[in-house]
Amino acid sequence: MATLSLDALSKTYPNGVTALHGVDLTIDDGELIVVVGPSGCGKSTLLRMLAGLESISSGELAIDGRRVNDLEPAERDIAMVFQNYALYPHMSVADNMGYALKNQGVPRAERRRKVEETARLIGLEDLLDRRPKQLSGGQRQRVAMGRAIVREPKVFLFDEPLSNLDAKLRVQMRIEIRRLQKRLGVTAVYVTHDQVEAMTLADRLVVMNGGHIEQVGTPMHLYDQPASRFVASFIGSPSMNFIEARHADGVLTLPCGTHLPLRDGASTESGDAVCLGVRPEHLVQVGQGDDTTLTTQVELVEPLGADTLAHVRLDGQAELLVARLNGAQQIAEGDRLYLRPDPERLHLFDPQEGHSLAAPETVS
Amino acid sequence: MRYRRPGLDAISHILLILALLAFSLPVWLAIIAATHDQSSLYTGTAPLWFGDQGLDNFRAILSEPVARLGTDVARLLFNSTVMALGIACGKIFIAILAAYAIVFFRFPLRRLCFWLIFITLMLPVEVRIMPTYKIAADLNLLNSYAGLILPLIASATATFLFRQFYMTVPPELLEAARVDGAGPWRFLRDILLPLSKTNIAALFVIMFLYGWNQYLWPLLITTESDYMTIVVSLKRMLSSADNLVPWQAVMATALLAMLPPVAVIVLMQRYFVKGLVDAEK
C-alpha cells in the first residue's frame, strides 16, 4: 500500500525520440489507476518507468515519498503482471510464485505457507505442481497474478494483462482483478488500450496521447466532460460523433441546416467554426423532422440485442454518424431516420486544437 | 509423406540391414582380432571367429606398459578422458558466459566483440598451430593437461549456438526476473541455465567427441608418455620399423578407444536429439 507521485516524468531514448513529455500524476493509496491510450502513446513506457525496467530521463518518481528513480525494480517493492505472463517455463507454479520470496531470502517453510495462502485466494491450490505449459491461458494469467500478490508489494503494475485471453475470460478476469485489488487494498497501475476495460476497472482514468496526459479523472467524469476531442473519441463505445458547425448568436448551425441551441457559458464567439460532438446514445430518434433534428439515411445496421447501432449518413455529408437506438426498433438499411441530438449532452470542441469549449463551470 | 506398402517396407529393411552389415564388419573384425594371439593373425587369412585369447589381450594392455608407448592403455584412456571432458566442459562454460554477455548486456563495442569471436571460426588449431605452440611452450604448458585443454577451449561455434538460443528467450522473462529480485547471476543460474539444458547436453556430446578425436595438437604438445592420449598412441603402435605390428593389441586398444564416445552418445542421445531439433520453451 502506497502513494505514488510522478513529477514531470520524461523519457527520451538515446536515438532522440521522446516517448514521454513531462508526466505529472499523484496516485493515492489503494487506488486503481488505469492508463489508457492508443498504441505508441507512451503508456507502456510510463509503466515500465514505474517498474524500473526503463530508465527515467528526467523528473522525479517517488513511492511513499521516497525517491526511487535510481532503484532497481526489485528494490522498489513493486510487482508486475506482464502481457504474455512471463512465467518461468521450467518452474512449477509454486516455484514461479515463490521465486521473488526466494530471492528475498524468505525461509522455505514460510515461502510455502505464503504461496499456498495466495493460491487459495485465487483458486490455484490444485495446480501448484504443474508447469506453465500444462496450464490454460486463464490459469497462466492467474499464476502471473499470484506471483505478484504473494510478495505483498506496495504497488501492482499491470501491462495489458488480459489482451491474450478470449473475450469471455477477459470479462471474468477483469472482475476478478478488480475484486482482488479492492480486497488487498493495494495501489495499482493498469495499462490497457481497451477502453471498456479501462472504464470498468478504474478508480481514476488517465488518458494518454502522444506522450502527454490528455485528461485524468473518474471514468464517468471523462465520459461526461471530456477535456478534448481526443478523450471524447477515445472514451465511450461506439465513439462520439463529430460534426462541423458554425456558431451564430447562441445558435449552432450545422451544414445540413439543423439549428441547435448553444448552452450558456461556452467559450466561443459568434461567427466561430466549432466541432460539435454527440455520443451515439444521445441521438434520439423522433418521428417527424424539424429544424432541430438531423435528417439521415441508414447505411448499416448492427443489432446488439438490447441496442441497435445505426450507421447513418447525414444528408449532404460524406461522413457516417452512429446512433445507438433501442433494440426493439425495427430499422432497415435505406430507411429515413430523424435524430434529435440531446441538447443537454452536446460537446463543443475547438476545430483546430481539439480542446473542449464547454462552459468553465461544467468542467469541474 | 509415408507410404504404407509392405513391399517398400521389405526393400527398405533389406537395404538397412545391408548397410548395417557393411558398417559393422570392421568393428566385428576388430573384435575378432582382439581375441587372437599375434601368430594366428599372421597366417595370411583374416580370422572371422573368436580366437582363444578371450579377454587376455585387453587385460594385458590395460595393466602392463605397451611396447613402444611406455605406458599402459588405462593411463591413455584416463588422459583422453581428462582432455575430452576438459575441452567439452571448458568450451561450454566459456561459451555460456560469452553468449550471456553478448546477448543480455549493453556495453561499448559489443558487436565488435561478437564478430571477433565469430571470426575465430576461420582459425582452427591447424591454422594457428605455430603461434599456439610457441605460446604453450612459453607458458610451460608442454606435457600437461592444461596444455592439452586450454588452447582448444575457446569456441566460436558454441558461443554462437548459445547466442542464438538466448536471443529466442522472451525479454519479458528477464524483466520478470528483475522485478522478482534476481540479479544477473541469479538470472543465469535460475532461469537461463535450466532453459538451455538440452542445448548444453547436445553441445557436450559434440564437444566431447571433438576433444576425444583430437590428434594434431596432442601429438605436438605431448612428448612424455604420461600425458599421451589414446588416439595419438594408436597411431604410434602401428609405426613399427623392425617388429611385427601387434595387431591384437592395436585392435583391443582401438575398441577401448571407441567405448567412451559411444557411451557418451548412448547416454545423452535423448537430450542430444532434442537439443538439436527443438528448442523447448
Side-chain angles (χ1 to χ4, degrees):
Chain A
M1 279 180 242
T3 60
L4 248 80
S5 89
L6 288 64
D7 184 15
L9 224 51
S10 298
K11 177 73 190 177
T12 306
Y13 286 105
N15 61 8
V17 175
T18 303
L20 225 55
H21 306 268
V23 167
D24 295 302
L25 186 66
T26 306
I27 301 172
D28 293 332
D29 189 16
E31 199 177 18
L32 202 168
I33 290 280
V34 176
V35 183
V36 67
S39 14
C41 71
K43 58 187 192 299
S44 283
T45 309
L46 177 65
L47 193 78
R48 293 166 56 80
M49 282 162 79
L50 298 183
L53 296 170
E54 204 83 69
S55 65
I56 295 170
S57 305
S58 70
E60 296 280 315
L61 171 65
I63 299 178
D64 265 348
R66 186 172 69 125
R67 185 178 186 272
V68 296
N69 276 36
D70 305 315
L71 292 186
E72 270 291 297
E75 298 165 329
R76 296 186 182 192
D77 206 0
I78 47 105
M80 187 152 169
V81 178
F82 292 86
Q83 181 172 3
N84 58 5
Y85 322 134
L87 300 177
Y88 310 122
H90 59 291
M91 291 189 196
S92 68
V93 168
D95 288 344
N96 259 291
M97 286 169 64
Y99 187 57
L101 297 177
K102 189 176 160 195
N103 288 335
Q104 286 169 7
V106 176
R108 182 185 296 267
E110 194 187 339
R111 218 156 70 206
R112 166 127 32 102
R113 186 183 60 73
K114 282 189 170 178
V115 166
E116 281 172 0
E117 200 176 288
T118 309
R120 254 196 311 281
L121 179 70
I122 52 176
L124 281 174
E125 57 266 63
D126 298 331
L127 305 173
L128 283 176
D129 295 326
R130 300 259 190 103
R131 294 283 173 89
K133 224 194 314 188
Q134 300 163 303
L135 301 177
S136 69
Q139 288 167 336
R140 284 181 208 185
Q141 174 62 53
R142 244 172 250 264
V143 177
M145 294 272 302
R147 188 166 67 172
I149 293 169
V150 74
R151 299 167 47 185
E152 299 165 15
K154 283 182 177 166
V155 185
F156 280 150
L157 303 174
F158 295 94
D159 188 7
E160 310 208 9
L162 303 182
S163 51
N164 285 353
L165 300 178
D166 64 61
K168 196 175 163 194
L169 207 52
R170 205 177 304 166
V171 174
Q172 199 183 324
M173 287 304 292
R174 193 169 79 200
I175 294 166
E176 208 158 320
I177 288 179
R178 180 66 175 154
R179 209 162 44 202
L180 269 172
Q181 190 268 340
K182 281 285 146 230
R183 182 160 157 198
L184 300 168
V186 180
T187 313
V189 181
Y190 188 109
V191 160
T192 180
H193 61 260
D194 180 339
Q195 63 92 17
V196 178
E197 216 169 283
M199 295 280 285
T200 51
L201 272 173
D203 287 320
R204 277 196 301 157
L205 259 177
V206 175
V207 180
M208 291 192 63
N209 183 26
H212 294 278
I213 289 186
E214 287 270 339
Q215 195 177 3
V216 182
T218 61
M220 281 320 285
H221 177 80
L222 263 59
Y223 176 83
D224 287 333
Q225 290 155 22
S228 67
R229 185 173 160 165
F230 177 82
V231 176
S233 67
F234 205 82
I235 301 297
S237 172
S239 255
M240 190 184 273
N241 299 302
F242 296 102
I243 309 164
E244 299 301 326
R246 190 159 287 281
H247 169 213
D249 296 327
V251 176
L252 290 171
T253 308
L254 272 54
C256 55
T258 309
H259 297 287
L260 294 168
L262 184 66
R263 267 200 296 173
D264 294 341
S267 52
T268 163
E269 300 286 323
S270 183
D272 281 355
V274 294
C275 175
L276 174 70
V278 193
R279 293 200 181 276
E281 47 273 42
H282 300 147
L283 286 170
V284 184
Q285 189 186 358
V286 290
Q288 266 309 313
D290 56 39
D291 70 345
T292 65
T293 61
L294 307 170
T295 307
T296 64
Q297 184 147 21
V298 178
E299 295 257 321
L300 185 75
V301 180
E302 286 184 288
L304 300 178
D307 301 318
T308 295
L309 299 181
H311 296 250
V312 299
R313 186 183 298 284
L314 203 54
D315 280 357
Q317 292 288 98
E319 279 168 55
L320 289 181
L321 305 181
V322 183
R324 185 191 285 274
L325 306 173
N326 192 321
Q329 206 79 38
Q330 292 293 326
I331 43 174
E333 281 158 36
D335 282 0
R336 275 223 155 252
L337 216 56
Y338 300 104
L339 298 169
R340 172 175 293 137
D342 181 348
E344 295 299 308
R345 314 296 289 262
L346 297 181
H347 301 269
L348 288 184
F349 301 100
D350 186 285
Q352 271 87 43
E353 311 279 319
H355 58 260
S356 173
L357 300 173
E361 65 265 29
T362 60
V363 184
S364 51
Chain B
M1 189 77 186
R2 277 180 66 93
Y3 294 98
R4 282 256 152 255
R5 287 207 206 124
L8 215 61
D9 272 6
I11 291 170
S12 45
H13 272 96
I14 290 167
L15 279 175
L16 283 172
I17 288 166
L18 284 176
L20 183 70
L21 287 176
F23 282 120
S24 49
L25 183 66
V27 181
W28 176 251
L29 288 179
I31 295 173
I32 295 305
T35 60
H36 283 266
D37 61 16
Q38 185 158 3
S39 56
S40 64
L41 290 174
Y42 278 91
T43 54
T45 51
L48 286 173
W49 198 246
F50 295 105
D52 52 2
Q53 295 294 304
L55 295 174
D56 286 353
N57 286 327
F58 290 95
R59 217 164 285 142
I61 57 165
L62 282 173
S63 54
E64 298 156 24
V66 179
R68 278 194 298 271
L69 293 181
T71 184
D72 55 75
V73 173
R75 175 80 196 183
L76 298 176
L77 277 173
F78 176 76
N79 290 347
S80 273
T81 308
V82 168
M83 181 177 76
L85 279 179
I87 289 174
C89 296
K91 267 180 190 277
I92 288 171
F93 179 73
I94 289 180
I96 283 176
L97 290 184
Y100 184 48
I102 284 170
V103 176
F104 289 102
F105 291 85
R106 301 279 166 272
F107 52 91
L109 304 182
R110 191 169 62 100
R111 291 184 68 85
L112 182 73
C113 287
F114 172 70
W115 285 111
L116 282 179
I117 294 175
F118 200 66
I119 278 173
T120 63
L121 269 182
M122 289 182 250
L123 296 171
V125 182
E126 291 76 6
V127 178
R128 55 183 164 91
I129 199 141
M130 283 311 292
T132 310
Y133 183 84
K134 174 83 169 81
I135 291 169
D138 289 350
L139 292 173
N140 280 328
L141 292 177
L142 302 182
N143 286 313
S144 72
Y145 289 130
L148 281 171
I149 294 166
L150 283 180
L152 299 173
I153 225 173
S155 173
T157 327
T159 308
F160 188 70
L161 268 165
F162 277 112
R163 171 182 176 265
Q164 295 307 97
F165 172 70
Y166 289 166
M167 293 205 316
T168 66
V169 172
E172 286 86 359
L173 228 46
L174 171 65
E175 292 174 348
R178 279 180 70 190
V179 172
D180 276 349
W185 283 115
R186 282 224 174 115
F187 176 66
L188 179 66
R189 192 192 64 199
D190 292 344
I191 316 285
L192 222 44
L193 287 186
L195 286 178
S196 38
K197 251 186 341 208
T198 53
N199 293 56
I200 292 174
L203 266 174
F204 179 81
V205 173
I206 295 172
M207 293 310 170
F208 185 88
L209 295 187
Y210 167 85
W212 187 267
N213 290 332
Q214 279 305 308
Y215 179 74
L216 185 59
W217 182 251
L219 179 70
L220 219 67
I221 200 165
T222 55
T223 47
E224 288 172 20
S225 50
D226 273 355
Y227 290 101
M228 231 157 253
T229 65
I230 195 159
V231 177
V232 174
S233 307
L234 208 50
K235 175 69 175 62
R236 283 165 65 110
M237 287 170 81
L238 292 173
S239 58
S240 69
D242 38 3
N243 284 325
L244 290 173
V245 177
W247 279 111
Q248 77 291 359
V250 172
M251 288 307 173
T253 310
L255 288 170
L256 287 175
M258 272 170 52
L259 282 182
V262 168
V264 165
I265 290 177
V266 168
L267 288 177
M268 306 196 77
Q269 186 190 29
R270 203 162 60 89
Y271 298 107
F272 177 70
V273 174
K274 219 170 164 187
L276 288 185
V277 172
D278 70 352
E280 184 203 21
K281 269 188 272 18

